Amino acid sequence: MDIVWCIARYGALPEDYISLEFSKKTSRERAEYITSGNKRLFLKVFYDEEALRVLANKNLFNVKFKDYVKRDWLYTGDSTEKDIVEFIQKHDEVVVKPISSTWGMGVKVIQASEVETLLKDVRSGNAFMIEEKLVNHPDIAKLNPSSLQTLRVETCLDNRGEFHLLNVLLMIGTKKIIVSNCHSGGVMCHVNMKTGIVDANGFNPQGWWIDKHPESGIKFIGFKIPHIEKLETYIRAVCKVMPNARYVGWDVAVTPSGFELIEGNFCPGQCTQTCDGVPKYNLLKSYM
């Protein structure tokens, strides 16, 4: 069976097989892609212990990158119940994130009237980030007003410390969900890094493509990202904060006041290689 062979030969789990469209690729092509199995090589090379710890913990991340996290936020593990209540009342509506969640899982928006439910979770020993709710630049918000669209910006610092911008994707929420993560039902579109224009249809790792947003009806190809000309300068500065994290997928929101750093992801989703059609295993090996 081809899927079983791909697990053994390329370290490609079933989700990789689908998201990387291995059924359409030759053996030689398959060997050029980053998979769940072979990306372990990069985990050993591109990060030290501090980098892995910071990227895995939203509180540590916000502290480390405080100059690029402009939104108001609070970590429940360092706060009293009074602090939590006052913070939520101050903003009326906030975003709550489990401290180590991935793929947008468990993220929700709550109102001030729902604070007691959150406090019960905190008393049970669960830790959360509570953050001011961001809004997109109006040009991006119109794609899907119910979610915060983000840019996934993939970068690598090579063995000489030189910066490489690998990929830029627009991550878009769908079906009234509040997050844009493609593993939670959203889609991602490849963005031309020079023009800021989306040049491919929306893709979801479950293996489906879509040419326009199902809610707004806006076509993806030709959509222009505002302020794209400032993105590379911005992300170069972000990379300098923690150069011991050499290969990162940065999630960046485009707000009315500019860029806002949301989080960083180590060994960013291998499924993003499908969006630009560029396998990156050999490329990253050359940066080691």
Side-chain angles (χ1 to χ4, degrees):
M1 188 176 180
D2 196 36
I3 293 181
V4 176
W5 164 247
C6 284
I7 294 173
R9 177 66 180 84
Y10 309 107
L13 298 181
E15 55 263 35
D16 298 327
Y17 186 89
I18 295 170
S19 65
L20 295 174
E21 299 185 328
F22 268 18
S23 65
K24 303 176 183 178
K25 293 179 171 60
T26 65
S27 296
R28 182 176 180 178
E29 290 171 332
R30 290 170 173 178
E32 296 177 346
Y33 280 82
I34 300 171
T35 67
S36 296
N38 66 27
K39 74 179 182 181
R40 294 171 187 166
L41 171 67
F42 305 129
L43 277 170
K44 297 177 181 178
V45 174
F46 289 133
Y47 317 89
D48 63 11
E49 290 185 7
E50 182 209 16
L52 290 173
R53 188 169 58 252
V54 169
L55 292 175
N57 184 292
K58 290 176 170 51
N59 177 47
L60 296 179
F61 183 88
N62 280 14
V63 172
K64 184 73 175 182
F65 291 87
K66 61 183 183 301
D67 291 339
Y68 299 93
V69 178
K70 303 300 183 183
R71 61 193 178 279
D72 199 7
W73 59 274
L74 176 146
Y75 170 48
T76 61
D78 293 337
S79 307
T80 66
E81 290 193 6
K82 181 174 181 291
D83 294 332
I84 295 170
V85 171
E86 289 180 350
F87 183 91
I88 296 176
Q89 289 178 340
K90 172 185 175 182
H91 294 286
D92 191 50
E93 187 177 56
V94 297
V95 178
V96 177
K97 305 175 181 178
I99 191 65
S100 300
S101 71
T102 59
W103 294 356
M105 297 175 63
V107 177
K108 57 186 177 181
V109 174
I110 70 167
Q111 315 292 325
S113 59
E114 302 171 282
V115 66
E116 187 56 38
T117 300
L118 176 62
L119 291 176
K120 288 180 180 178
D121 284 338
V122 172
R123 291 168 191 149
S124 298
N126 298 313
F128 301 93
M129 294 293 289
I130 308 176
E131 299 184 347
E132 174 186 3
K133 185 180 178 183
L134 296 174
V135 295
N136 277 132
H137 184 287
D139 288 352
I140 292 184
K142 64 185 180 183
L143 279 167
N144 189 48
S146 65
S147 63
L148 181 73
Q149 278 62 259
T150 58
L151 298 177
R152 167 61 62 86
V153 188
E154 296 179 352
T155 64
C156 187
L157 301 176
D158 65 23
N159 51 19
R160 294 176 296 180
E162 293 185 4
F163 171 90
H164 300 271
L165 181 57
L166 304 178
N167 213 350
V168 178
L169 305 169
L170 175 61
M171 314 287 278
I172 312 159
T174 60
K175 299 179 181 178
K176 305 299 184 183
I177 62 173
I178 64 167
V179 295
S180 59
N181 193 289
C182 56
H183 293 284
S184 297
V187 297
M188 49 188 174
C189 303
H190 182 255
V191 178
N192 183 294
M193 292 186 280
K194 293 183 179 179
T195 66
I197 295 175
V198 173
D199 57 9
N201 287 325
F203 174 71
N204 181 278
Q206 293 182 353
W208 48 267
W209 293 82
I210 187 171
D211 67 342
K212 61 184 178 181
H213 195 278
E215 303 295 331
S216 66
I218 296 174
K219 287 188 173 295
F220 295 132
I221 295 179
F223 187 86
K224 177 70 182 289
I225 308 300
H227 308 310
I228 198 70
E229 70 282 356
K230 301 176 182 178
L231 180 61
E232 183 171 343
T233 298
Y234 175 86
I235 214 68
R236 279 178 179 270
V238 169
C239 288
K240 290 179 180 178
V241 174
M242 192 167 66
N244 45 330
R246 292 173 50 196
Y247 173 40
V248 182
W250 307 100
D251 289 342
V252 179
V254 186
T255 74
S257 58
F259 298 124
E260 172 77 10
L261 186 62
I262 304 299
E263 64 181 14
N265 302 273
F266 52 82
C267 282
Q270 53 271 18
C271 58
T272 62
Q273 297 166 101
T274 301
C275 292
D276 64 353
V278 179
K280 296 182 176 63
Y281 182 72
N282 291 332
L283 177 64
L284 285 172
K285 281 187 69 177
S286 73
Y287 294 154
M288 292 172 56

